[in-house]
Amino acid sequence: MKLLMTEERERAIAIGLITDRTRRQQGEEYLDELVLLADTAGAVVVRKVFQERNRINSATFIGSGKALEVGRLVEDEKIDLVVFDDDLSPVQVRNLEKVIKCKIIDRSGLILDIFASRAKTKEAMTQVELAQLQYLLPRLTRQWTHLSKQYGGVGTKGPGEQQIETDRRAIRTRISRLKEKLEHISREREVQRKGRKEMIRVAMVGYTNAGKSTLLRLLSGADVLVEDRLFATLDTTVRAVTLGPAKTILLSDTVGFIRKLPPHLIASFRSTLAETAEADILLHVVDVSHLSFEEHIAVVNDTLHELNAQGKPTIYVFNKIDKLADRSLLHGLSKEYSPAVFISAERGLNISSLKQELLTLAAHDSSEQTISIKQSDYGTIAKLHEIAEIIGKEYENNSVIVRFRVSQKNMDRLKKLLGKRFTVAGQD
Ligand SMILES: Nc1nc2c(ncn2[C@@H]2O[C@H](COP(=O)(O)OP(=O)(O)OP(=O)(O)O)[C@@H](O)[C@H]2O)c(=O)[nH]1
Ligand SMILES: [Mg+2]
């Protein structure tokens, strides 16, 4: 990990909440993750503050006493930035800004910042900008002077109501433009995906830093970016992987997930995540050496739900076993998560068992079918060419008997399409 010198980095305070529901230890783990996020964004956390509260304070989130205390810390310790682990309402930010005289940012803001600095492709940059503007819009208030500077507006007092209205309009126009642009990109992507319909598509998913890109690199030999930092990958890469003779699948690697990923971000990354949503099989990659790996699994499963990608045949890939001092816990995991494999993508350990599991699932997922269609039914014949791999055709009277290989998903689509006309001529 490339660290900047401490003097060049912004000095930050990280604030976490401990409520009845979140135990102290869990609160500390959450805050450790926030420290890592702050580090990724280029700040160094010099102080961690916990607020024990059972109810969140609607005016200041942490309560006015605590806010004053943080305000004093900021002055005494020359702090540039206060980061909250939870999302703040625009009102809370405004109230906090009265007593804490430095930049205040919440978890979503921080994640958006990291995504913005990481985005390299046109698609990722458009998606991040859209999410950022949607996050910004309700937060545009008198206190907020950034846009007014950028747009050459009022200087010291913050923008007037009129200026804010102009800014809001500008943002809304930009949001519509970005949405149109994304619509266009997503149509291009759809055409690309259609061209790959006949191969089995496997998508890797997982918490950020679990080792997805390392695994893609190992399996496909592709030169993809691997880094020990959060959100190294922000795009989707698809590569062909050969599992055995005449058995090639398409494997995709995509953006990692994290606890409390801002909803705007998930929504605007839909075109990047479409490969995941449409995959036939998922590889859920888990960093099993991480203390909170089970919570990570739950977060990833929840995010899959939001993407409508839950319930697909899934292999749990427990990665980084080389980092485990004690591997006895793996036995229990293989009972709880099935099918599961235990690998090290970095050291290349147990990769053959992963390939074997994939072959098994892939064989389950597709089957060879034969159906008889009227020769005049061009629509169905065309559809069949589109969603299945045609193996052979025989003509008989007015009918054509087609043998094809099809995934379970496309077979279901076909059955729906044909309805009563669906007659299986034979099947193996
Ligand atoms: N010890 C060990 N380290 C690993 C293993 N696999 C990956 N890593 C390291 O974990 C870090 C993250 O790996 P990546 O492959 O970039 O993780 P990712 O899941 O693609 O992460 P994002 O793109 O940020 O979501 C890198 O420093 C890798 O070298 C492993 O099996 N063992
Ligand atoms: Mg990656």
Side-chain angles (χ1 to χ4, degrees):
M1 198 180 335
K2 210 172 106 198
L3 287 173
L4 295 166
M5 296 302 289
T6 313
E7 306 87 73
E8 300 169 25
R9 294 159 66 88
E10 289 191 302
R11 291 162 62 79
I13 295 179
I15 300 186
L17 205 65
I18 299 172
T19 62
D20 273 349
R21 283 179 299 143
T22 358
R23 289 162 296 115
R24 172 104 201 170
Q25 193 200 345
Q26 199 178 31
E28 278 175 16
E29 277 169 24
Y30 286 170
L31 211 59
D32 284 346
E33 186 176 85
L34 189 72
V35 170
L36 215 58
L37 279 169
D39 178 83
T40 306
V44 56
V45 172
V46 294
R47 279 287 196 127
K48 292 189 211 169
V49 174
F50 283 100
Q51 171 68 332
E52 298 195 27
R53 283 192 80 87
N54 295 332
R55 296 255 306 278
I56 287 161
N57 184 298
S58 60
T60 56
F61 193 79
I62 45 174
S64 56
K66 198 77 174 183
L68 280 171
E69 202 180 295
V70 173
R72 275 195 298 274
L73 255 181
V74 163
E75 273 177 36
D76 294 349
E77 308 232 350
K78 300 195 171 52
I79 299 296
D80 307 292
L81 180 69
V82 174
V83 198
F84 284 78
D85 192 35
D86 297 82
D87 284 344
L88 300 171
S89 71
V91 175
Q92 287 166 339
V93 175
R94 228 174 303 158
N95 288 329
L96 286 167
E97 274 174 345
K98 289 179 193 150
V99 281
I100 301 175
K101 300 291 175 200
C102 72
K103 272 188 285 183
I104 296 173
I105 187 168
D106 62 15
R107 188 181 172 91
S108 286
L110 189 60
I111 293 176
L112 283 167
D113 219 65
I114 295 171
F115 269 62
S117 64
R118 285 272 194 276
K120 294 282 179 302
T121 62
K122 186 176 76 174
E123 184 175 17
M125 289 194 300
T126 313
Q127 293 177 133
V128 175
E129 193 187 344
L130 175 62
Q132 273 186 313
L133 290 180
Q134 284 172 329
Y135 170 82
L136 187 62
L137 199 55
R139 289 171 175 77
L140 211 57
T141 62
R142 268 176 178 280
Q143 303 287 325
W144 206 82
T145 57
H146 175 231
L147 260 198
S148 69
K149 277 184 207 141
Q150 196 178 322
Y151 286 42
V154 189
T156 46
K157 293 199 303 291
E161 278 308 323
Q162 213 180 348
Q163 183 62 44
I164 293 172
E165 206 32 58
T166 315
D167 286 349
R168 278 204 189 108
R169 258 202 307 272
I171 290 181
R172 286 204 188 95
T173 312
R174 181 83 187 137
I175 285 178
S176 331
R177 286 268 339 266
L178 290 170
K179 280 186 173 164
E180 275 166 29
K181 216 162 137 185
L182 275 180
E183 194 63 35
H184 184 73
I185 295 174
S186 118
R187 274 198 298 272
E188 277 174 16
R189 289 268 173 276
E190 215 174 302
V191 173
Q192 283 175 8
R193 287 198 301 275
K194 273 209 173 131
R196 306 195 283 251
K197 83 237 163 192
E198 70 282 10
M199 279 204 241
I200 289 185
R201 280 153 59 181
V202 181
M204 276 192 285
V205 292
Y207 212 76
T208 178
N209 215 42
K212 300 175 293 299
S213 301
T214 309
L215 187 57
L216 181 73
R217 187 152 80 170
L218 178 78
L219 290 173
S220 71
D223 188 17
V224 289
L225 176 75
V226 169
E227 268 186 302
D228 189 12
R229 56 201 323 194
L230 306 181
F231 304 113
T233 308
L234 283 194
D235 295 286
T236 297
T237 310
V238 184
R239 290 286 177 273
V241 171
T242 305
L243 297 174
K247 280 275 180 253
T248 302
I249 54 143
L250 286 175
L251 184 63
S252 66
D253 171 29
T254 193
V255 51
F257 302 151
I258 199 164
R259 194 172 66 88
K260 295 199 207 153
L261 204 55
H264 288 322
L265 209 51
I266 300 180
S268 63
F269 265 74
R270 278 203 189 263
S271 81
T272 292
L273 291 165
E275 191 64 40
T276 308
E278 292 175 14
D280 302 301
I281 296 171
L282 298 181
L283 292 188
H284 184 157
V285 182
V286 182
D287 174 357
V288 72
S289 73
H290 198 289
L291 275 178
S292 313
F293 77 88
E294 286 189 294
E295 196 191 342
H296 292 180
I297 293 177
V299 167
V300 170
N301 284 334
D302 286 350
T303 313
L304 287 174
H305 223 91
E306 280 176 59
L307 293 169
N308 262 331
Q310 78 283 18
K312 291 180 190 289
T314 302
I315 302 173
Y316 284 89
V317 181
F318 291 96
N319 188 32
K320 307 198 189 181
I321 56 164
D322 59 293
K323 281 176 90 176
L324 289 180
D326 174 15
R327 292 191 189 170
S328 60
L329 103 144
L330 301 185
H331 184 66
L333 289 177
S334 63
K335 283 189 186 147
E336 198 173 336
Y337 300 94
S338 169
V341 290
F342 304 92
I343 68 159
S344 165
E346 198 166 78
R347 304 269 174 93
L349 298 176
N350 265 348
I351 302 304
S352 57
S353 64
L354 169 60
K355 286 186 173 178
Q356 194 49 52
E357 280 300 339
L358 260 175
L359 278 172
T360 311
L361 267 196
H364 268 302
D365 188 66
S366 78
S367 59
E368 219 172 284
Q369 308 278 348
T370 310
I371 64 169
S372 168
I373 308 168
K374 283 219 169 66
Q375 279 188 41
S376 54
D377 190 355
Y378 302 116
T380 306
I381 295 172
K383 191 76 199 165
L384 210 52
H385 272 93
E386 196 185 298
I387 64 176
E389 182 187 352
I390 308 295
I391 300 168
K393 280 188 208 160
E394 267 176 54
Y395 295 89
E396 219 173 59
N397 304 325
N398 293 331
S399 299
V400 51
I401 295 168
V402 188
R403 270 169 70 79
F404 58 96
R405 177 159 276 281
V406 69
S407 67
Q408 190 56 49
K409 179 178 66 187
N410 284 346
M411 188 66 194
D412 292 344
R413 266 161 70 186
L414 202 63
K415 277 183 187 162
K416 238 185 241 156
L417 182 80
L418 292 178
K420 286 217 179 77
R421 288 177 298 146
F422 183 82
T423 47
V424 180
Q427 160 171 3
D428 61 23

